[in-house]
Amino acid sequence: MSPHLDAVRVERVWVAGGVVRIAACTRELTVACPDCGRGSARVHSRYCRTLADVAVGGRPVLIGLSVRRLFCDSAGCGRRTFAEQVAGLTARYQRRSPLLQHLVEMAGVLLAGRGGARLLHILEAPLSRTSVLFHLMRLPLPSPAVPRVLGVDGFALYADVYGILLVDATTRLPIELWAGRDAEQLAAWLRTHPGVEVVCRDGSLVYRQGITDGAPDALQVSDRFHLWQGLTKRIGDIAAAHRGCLPSAAPQPEPAPPPTTSTGPSDQADTPARRHAKRLFEAVHAVTDTGCSLASPRIAPPSA
């Protein structure tokens, strides 16, 4: 807890059920109206707010803070009453201290839903993963810096409905996303974001007109993808237009060399193994011609 010490008076601190409880109340000080800024100390009523703070000694902390509702005595202000806020301790419609709320948001940024919920459970600030994601989605996005090199490309949402995507070509991070392909919309964005020096785009005339109107000094170039796409399409068109003359321009194939006759087993030199195989072959056929069985004991093997 880190409020202004002169604005809060701590009345009691005790531990109940493993929770550190603090009873406090605001002091009778003049508070500025959030609308007109005029100070007021005239009390309308008091009520108690329960705030969760960061854990102390491994125990969660709950603060019961009695705050005032004050009258605004300015005749020109439309707000008749307002609740006082303590800097560093309370925020409108918030049941956590700013320090604990920042812890919840950073857990969501760094670890997202499940991981953030596990970390907060360890830090004695239990939240569900959906609650962590809810607080994460409530965070305002940082305003992107105007890139020096801007990428402009179209994409199809569905059927014939298209959109425009602006990307920082240096960091490759998206900047804007629009529905439709409007040159005036692109030109208006470039006028309100001066400083773009180079714009990478495809060959669309809509993008060329929008960039020329919004950033006339910017250099327009084609990105690598559309450059290769245009080159291959152009080569395909040229090849299709000269399809008839391509066969005559092709070189004649060289005549194939005459086939070489391979030497088979019959043309090989006479060897002892070949002679032995030939004798076996003749002996088998001799027995087959006589009608005797090959297993007959009367048949003697050929001599080596």
Side-chain angles (χ1 to χ4, degrees):
M1 184 174 65
S2 59
H4 293 294
L5 298 179
D6 57 348
V8 176
R9 182 177 68 252
V10 177
E11 298 178 339
R12 184 187 175 195
V13 178
W14 73 101
V15 178
V19 178
V20 178
R21 297 184 177 271
I22 302 174
C25 66
T26 57
R27 300 179 185 272
E28 302 294 332
L29 301 177
T30 301
V31 180
C33 174
D35 286 355
C36 65
R38 180 175 177 178
S40 175
R42 193 158 66 94
V43 179
H44 173 275
S45 59
R46 273 189 176 270
Y47 67 98
C48 186
R49 295 183 60 175
T50 302
L51 303 169
D53 201 2
V54 292
V56 174
R59 296 177 178 177
V61 176
L62 287 179
I63 304 172
L65 180 63
S66 175
V67 297
R68 299 172 297 169
R69 178 169 290 276
L70 304 172
F71 286 103
C72 181
D73 296 327
S74 177
C77 182
R79 183 186 293 271
R80 305 317 306 162
T81 63
F82 62 93
E84 63 178 340
Q85 305 295 333
V86 180
L89 182 60
T90 65
R92 294 188 66 189
Y93 310 114
Q94 184 61 263
R95 296 187 177 183
R96 298 182 187 89
S97 66
L99 185 59
L100 181 58
Q101 181 63 23
H102 179 72
L103 181 65
V104 171
E105 294 171 352
M106 290 303 100
V109 170
L110 297 176
L111 300 175
R114 296 184 186 276
R118 288 195 291 266
L119 176 62
L120 292 174
H121 183 77
I122 296 173
L123 298 177
E124 297 296 338
L127 277 182
S128 65
R129 63 180 182 86
T130 54
S131 297
V132 175
L133 293 177
F134 172 76
H135 290 286
L136 175 61
M137 290 186 290
R138 290 180 60 189
L139 288 175
L141 294 177
S143 56
V146 178
R148 189 184 69 86
V149 182
L150 178 68
V152 181
D153 197 6
F155 65 96
L157 291 172
Y158 53 87
D160 296 331
V161 180
Y162 293 89
I164 298 178
L165 176 64
L166 303 184
V167 179
D168 188 340
T170 304
T171 61
R172 300 183 180 181
L173 295 177
I175 300 175
E176 293 285 348
L177 184 64
W178 303 321
R181 304 178 71 178
D182 188 7
E184 180 57 33
Q185 189 177 22
L186 177 58
W189 189 90
L190 290 172
R191 293 191 196 100
T192 56
H193 298 80
V196 177
E197 301 177 6
V198 182
V199 181
C200 300
R201 62 172 180 87
D202 60 8
S204 174
L205 298 179
V206 175
Y207 298 153
R208 185 180 70 177
Q209 184 63 38
I211 298 168
T212 303
D213 295 342
D217 297 333
L219 176 63
Q220 301 186 34
V221 299
S222 179
D223 59 75
R224 185 182 304 175
F225 170 78
H226 291 100
L227 188 64
W228 278 107
Q229 187 183 52
L231 179 62
T232 54
K233 184 178 184 302
R234 184 59 179 165
I235 293 175
D237 295 341
I238 294 175
H242 297 82
R243 187 183 299 273
C245 59
L246 289 178
S248 59
Q252 296 296 330
E254 298 181 357
T260 58
T261 57
S262 60
T263 59
S266 59
D267 299 333
Q268 295 176 357
D270 193 11
T271 60
R274 186 170 180 273
R275 291 194 299 269
H276 180 68
K278 185 176 180 181
R279 286 194 297 269
L280 290 177
F281 178 80
E282 293 173 351
V284 170
H285 278 275
V287 174
T288 303
D289 295 340
T290 59
C292 297
S293 174
L294 295 178
S296 175
R298 292 176 300 177
I299 303 175
S303 58

